Amino acid sequence: AHESCNLGSINVSKFVKPGASDVDWERLKEAVWMCIRFLDDVIDVNRYPLPAIKKMTRANRKIGLGVMGFAELLIKLGIAYDSADALSMAEKLMRFVTNEARQSSRELGLEKGSFPNFELSVWSASYESMRNATVSTIAPTGTISIIAGCSSGIEPLFAVAFVRNVLGRMLEINKLFEATAKESGFYSKDLIVETAKRGSIQNIEGIPADIKRLFVTALDISPEWHVRMQAAYQKYTDNGVSKTVNLPPDATWSDVKDVFLLAHKLKCKGITVYRYGSK
């Protein structure tokens, strides 16, 4: 009771080495350590609405660092979202983020003192210090990912191109797809308009199969892959993992049941389903 959210997210698509097939782990480590210090400082400078929230938040000093732009990271690495390689990358990435976040929190604990409830926690049996009771969370990042110009959290692309209605109609296209289309020689304005109408490129002629495989959208991916991706991240995340399982308009009661049971089997802390077109 009375805990509070204190979250931050790193746009991991910015950490793929240009022309390389791997993540720049050293740069990512530097970003993680900076984020942990920043989020920890937020606890002290924040103004709390209730004394009980202030007391509990400062007693446990929970923070939640996560990622966004994961879909673009996979595309840059040439990995399809609904694949075993993508699940492996998810586990490798989040294991690294959480491990580095914990190490940073341990160092902060030595520097500034552990969180007050440290002796009551599981950490006291293994570590000499820990500044924060938890360090990682996967947030939805709905608004901040728009500001950052990347995909939300660990979600696949929702659409390759679409029209956004904000003070008028704006055509938006995924920058990686646009660049790929131009490099591969199949770019045209008609293609972009057609893509925006459909959202998906899977049934559009003239686009190479390998590119279609990379640029899959939320509704192109089977529900099982959505759940397995969430589970891959949950393995190495202290708090919850935000992830939506996108279902087609004709999804059945049984389809929803299967998603929930698989999420339970794979030890997800929570699960969200959205049947397209529903309210």
Side-chain angles (χ1 to χ4, degrees):
H2 302 296
E3 287 281 11
S4 55
C5 275
N6 182 13
L7 313 179
S9 300
I10 297 173
N11 180 2
V12 290
S13 70
K14 298 289 186 182
F15 292 83
V16 177
K17 295 179 181 179
S21 58
D22 200 6
V23 172
D24 189 335
W25 299 105
E26 278 304 310
R27 277 189 62 229
L28 183 57
K29 175 182 176 179
E30 183 181 352
V32 169
W33 280 61
M34 190 184 301
C35 288
I36 293 302
R37 182 174 286 272
F38 180 92
L39 289 170
D40 184 68
D41 284 342
V42 169
I43 294 169
D44 297 320
V45 301
N46 189 44
R47 293 172 63 188
Y48 296 89
L50 293 172
I53 296 175
K54 179 178 181 179
K55 181 181 178 181
M56 185 61 73
T57 300
R58 290 191 170 181
N60 293 328
R61 304 191 69 86
K62 289 182 180 179
I63 57 177
L65 180 61
V67 303
M68 56 185 173
F70 179 63
E72 283 92 354
L73 177 142
L74 291 178
I75 291 168
K76 287 182 177 181
L77 294 177
I79 300 172
Y81 188 96
D82 49 341
S83 68
D85 287 345
L87 297 183
S88 295
M89 174 51 71
E91 290 192 17
K92 183 179 180 182
L93 181 68
M94 203 59 206
R95 185 193 303 120
F96 181 86
V97 169
T98 294
N99 284 346
E100 290 300 331
R102 286 177 183 166
Q103 184 61 35
S104 176
S105 184
R106 287 173 66 188
E107 293 289 325
L108 273 178
L110 293 174
E111 178 186 330
K112 297 182 175 184
S114 297
F115 61 95
N117 284 337
F118 174 74
E119 294 300 331
L120 302 174
S121 75
V122 296
W123 300 121
S124 63
S126 307
Y127 298 102
E128 72 281 11
S129 67
M130 190 67 79
R131 182 67 170 167
N132 314 96
T134 65
V135 294
S136 54
T137 302
I138 301 294
T141 74
T143 303
I144 62 171
S145 62
I146 294 173
I147 295 169
C150 66
S151 55
S152 298
I154 61 169
E155 302 288 358
L157 302 179
F158 186 74
V160 177
F162 59 95
V163 175
R164 188 188 297 281
N165 292 301
V166 183
L167 299 176
R169 291 165 61 82
M170 296 185 296
L171 178 64
E172 294 198 17
I173 180 170
N174 182 273
K175 290 181 175 61
L176 290 177
F177 178 73
E178 185 175 30
T180 301
K182 288 178 178 178
E183 288 171 11
S184 302
F186 63 84
Y187 179 88
S188 71
K189 287 187 177 179
D190 289 342
L191 171 71
I192 301 309
V193 170
E194 183 65 20
T195 302
K197 285 180 181 177
R198 296 172 181 250
S200 169
I201 62 171
Q202 300 306 311
N203 296 316
I204 298 177
E205 294 182 4
I207 301 177
D210 60 331
I211 292 173
K212 286 183 177 181
R213 184 75 186 98
L214 270 186
F215 288 90
V216 288
T217 64
L219 285 170
D220 294 329
I221 296 167
S222 70
E224 181 178 339
W225 282 108
H226 282 285
V227 180
R228 290 192 179 282
M229 183 59 75
Q230 179 173 338
Y233 269 94
Q234 189 66 80
K235 279 185 186 179
Y236 301 102
T237 304
D238 289 340
N239 301 300
V241 173
S242 175
K243 175 84 185 71
T244 299
V245 179
N246 298 91
L247 300 174
D250 60 352
T252 65
W253 185 93
S254 181
D255 293 332
V256 175
K257 175 186 173 184
D258 290 343
V259 167
F260 272 74
L261 291 178
L262 181 60
H264 181 266
K265 178 182 176 182
L266 298 179
K267 303 187 185 307
C268 294
K269 288 192 175 183
I271 192 73
T272 301
V273 297
Y274 177 70
R275 189 171 67 174
Y276 197 70
S278 67
K279 296 290 186 184

